Amino acid sequence: MQNPYLPYPVKIDDIVVETEDKNLKTFTFVFLNPADEERFAYRSGQFAELSVTGKGEIPIGIASSPSEKGFVKFTVNKVGLVSSYLHNMQKGDIMGIRGPLGNSYPWDVLKGKNVVIIGGGFAFTTLRSSIVYMLANRQDFGKITVIYGARTPGMLLYRDELMAWEKRDDIDMHITVDGTNDPNWKYNVGFVPTITEKKAPQADDDTYAIICGPPIMIKFTQPVLDKAGYAHDHIIMSLENRMKCGIGMCGRCNVGKDFVCKDGPVFTLAQLNTMPKEY
């Protein structure tokens, strides 16, 4: 049995500064041992621990898609010791990845269904993974609708991909910002819940919504989906802000009897309704 705390060694292959405040960078890693990439078989929605020797490790949602081979991507917000150190590392530096961890979005359930992706700000990473995965397996899904917002155009993640998806006719993209003075901005202006109310399809048995974003966005988006008739077992959320050691051993991720690292981070709203409101 492999030690669950043992990370795979990886090399930083590319670094992209995503946002105008420079606090969000996307790191592309390649495994030093090709066999480790096979062992790191993951599904969209899962996360991993990024580790830096002598500094520690941090749980981060996987931003690349299982359909993308030869590398894995993570978008990291500079907020603490490990992430700040990571932001100063360079291409070619060696570090560790432990995982994949947690459950994924329920792709067996979503197969053949319409999927509405609703995201806000930094919490778009596993949603980016999901969109790339669905587009790579387009025949397996019905209508795909994406609503994604950030404070300003400069705070949107993956801008080139967003614009490329917006031009496709097999995905219904709705990009929005809270506000902008950019005279060339040609997309929506408004908060994510408002745009969701205008653009999200009405609920039916074959339509599921995946939501990931700041708590305030989720708080005001859920009533919009309720009004549109979405059943709570058709609303899927991720408690990424509660991820800790990844295997439920540290005891810091529990919500009631459930461990977010082991039983989640993905839950339906119906499941969350049975749990204490501690998240």
Side-chain angles (χ1 to χ4, degrees):
M1 178 180 177
Q2 182 174 332
N3 184 340
Y5 291 105
L6 189 66
Y8 299 119
V10 295
K11 180 180 71 175
I12 300 175
D13 192 54
D14 194 24
I15 303 171
V16 174
V17 178
E18 293 282 357
T19 52
E20 61 188 1
D21 65 0
K22 304 187 188 317
N23 278 336
L24 286 156
K25 291 183 177 180
T26 295
F27 295 84
T28 300
F29 301 105
V30 294
F31 291 89
L32 297 188
N33 180 357
D36 289 344
E37 181 180 358
E38 294 184 21
R39 286 187 276 269
F40 192 85
Y42 64 94
R43 288 161 50 111
S44 298
Q46 289 190 280
F47 69 102
E49 299 280 346
L50 304 186
S51 60
V52 179
T53 302
K55 300 299 177 184
E57 61 179 12
I58 48 174
I60 302 289
I62 304 171
S64 52
S65 161
S67 57
E68 297 175 304
K69 302 299 183 185
F71 62 87
V72 288
K73 284 187 177 185
F74 295 82
T75 301
V76 178
N77 190 18
K78 189 171 72 172
V79 292
L81 174 66
V82 178
S83 59
S84 296
Y85 191 90
L86 178 56
H87 266 243
N88 287 324
M89 294 179 74
Q90 305 297 321
K91 287 194 287 185
D93 286 347
I94 307 297
M95 53 178 290
I97 294 179
R98 182 165 64 84
L101 302 166
N103 64 355
S104 70
Y105 296 121
W107 295 110
D108 296 337
V109 173
L110 296 174
K111 189 172 183 177
K113 307 299 184 184
N114 305 313
V115 180
V116 184
I117 298 278
I118 303 170
F122 167 49
F124 197 64
T125 58
T126 59
L127 301 183
R128 184 254 176 212
S129 171
S130 302
I131 294 166
V132 173
Y133 172 75
M134 287 192 290
L135 291 177
N137 298 275
R138 190 63 188 87
Q139 72 282 356
D140 288 342
F141 299 94
K143 183 177 180 181
I144 301 172
T145 303
V146 175
I147 300 162
Y148 171 49
R151 295 198 306 272
T152 65
M155 292 302 293
L156 289 165
L157 299 179
Y158 320 124
R159 289 193 61 174
D160 290 345
E161 289 182 309
L162 294 176
M163 305 316 163
W165 295 336
E166 202 273 340
K167 294 175 182 176
R168 295 178 60 138
D169 59 8
D170 59 351
I171 180 171
D172 194 10
M173 290 292 299
H174 302 286
I175 307 165
T176 187
V177 294
D178 297 352
T180 180
N181 295 320
D182 183 353
N184 297 317
W185 178 253
K186 60 180 182 180
Y187 306 103
N188 298 284
V189 175
F191 296 117
V192 167
T194 302
I195 303 304
T196 301
E197 187 166 20
K198 293 177 180 178
K199 305 295 185 181
Q202 292 294 302
D204 60 39
D205 290 343
D206 290 328
T207 301
Y208 286 74
I210 300 176
I211 309 175
C212 204
I216 190 69
M217 185 208 85
I218 293 174
K219 176 181 178 180
F220 288 101
T221 301
Q222 182 189 324
V224 173
L225 294 177
D226 286 341
K227 184 179 178 182
Y230 283 76
H232 285 188
D233 62 355
H234 282 46
I235 298 175
I236 300 161
M237 298 180 172
S238 180
L239 299 186
E240 292 186 358
N241 61 334
R242 293 298 297 259
M243 299 182 308
K244 298 298 180 186
C245 76
I247 55 177
M249 292 299 292
C250 73
R252 296 171 59 199
C253 68
N254 70 297
V255 178
K257 65 178 179 56
D258 294 292
F259 290 87
V260 170
C261 285
K262 286 177 57 182
D263 305 312
V266 175
F267 298 92
T268 66
L269 181 55
Q271 291 173 309
L272 293 176
N273 288 340
T274 68
M275 298 161 61
K277 303 300 181 186
E278 299 173 352
Y279 49 87

